[in-house]
Amino acid sequence: MGKVVLITGGSSGIGKAMGNYLHNKGFIVYGTSRNPKNIASVFPLLTLDVRNLTSVNELIKIVVEKSGRIDVLINNAGVGITGPIEETPIEEIKSNFETNFFGPISIIKAVLPQMRKQNSGLIINITSIAGYMGLPYRGIYSASKGALELITESLRMEVKQFGIQITNIAPGDFATNIASGRYHSPLIDNSPYKKSYQNTLKMIDKQVDSGLDPNIMAQAVYEIIQNPNPKIHYKVGFFIQKFSIILKRILPDKVYEKMLMNHYKL
């Protein structure tokens, strides 16, 4: 029997691509969606709201009852958010963290007892290259993904004694429908940020539209699952996006900041 893989957010985009790829490789794949009815999928889609602990616990229970184990958890469900931090409602900031940060933690907490019982398991957190740097008008998204990157480092050390491995994959821009589900702080006519925010928003959407094929992420995930000793961090994206992380490490802070501001024409 193939390994049992649970993917959150498996109804579209990167999640669906990963699910299809792993299904075709012989894995037993379960995906999730808040509303899985009437969504065509080659692998089962189960109901999950990552913000609801009852929903999270029920999901893990169902998968274990169906397959007897969970070998790989891929925390893929996430949402985007853009806007000037000053003008972004605090409720929307909290909501983003509920999905992008607290949601994955809840699922990890729910799956760890089963993996510990198995004395094996792999957890893959899908973060973002944006989580390695504070980006203008994407600060909340950067912060939520950066927090998930860091907590993975802590969790790895805590659970290694149980035969459980955890890793991050930080994607760059991929051609998905993430923009349609992203929260945008509204463009306010008399806002001091209006012009620069509007220009940045157009640039962000253009980058997504011209992004990489999600199947590239699917192949990267497959290779990580096959690796008996995965790294702590992986980056998958255009060369310039991955290189920007290296530049942040080696350049003085203000030089790097100036580079970003020039890129976004701020």
Side-chain angles (χ1 to χ4, degrees), residues 11 28 94 100 115 154 174 208 231:
S11 62
I28 299 169
K94 291 179 178 179
N100 289 359
M115 289 185 170
S154 299
F174 280 80
V208 171
K231 298 189 297 184

Side-chain angles (χ1 to χ4, degrees), residues 58-83:
E58 184 65 20
L59 170 73
I60 301 303
K61 180 181 177 182
I62 289 171
V63 175
V64 172
E65 286 177 350
K66 286 179 176 291
S67 297
R69 59 190 298 114
I70 299 176
D71 297 298
V72 183
L73 166 64
I74 303 175
N75 273 315
N76 169 71
V79 291
I81 183 170
T82 61

Side-chain angles (χ1 to χ4, degrees), residues 137 187-189 191-201 265-266:
Y137 303 114
L187 287 162
I188 302 170
D189 285 338
S191 168
Y193 303 101
K194 182 181 178 182
K195 183 177 180 181
S196 58
Y197 173 38
Q198 189 173 40
N199 291 338
T200 300
L201 204 54
K265 297 180 173 57
L266 298 176

Side-chain angles (χ1 to χ4, degrees), residues 88-105:
T88 303
I90 195 70
E91 294 79 12
E92 293 295 340
I93 296 174
K94 291 179 178 179
S95 177
N96 187 266
F97 267 77
E98 285 290 342
T99 299
N100 289 359
F101 181 66
F102 294 112
I105 291 175

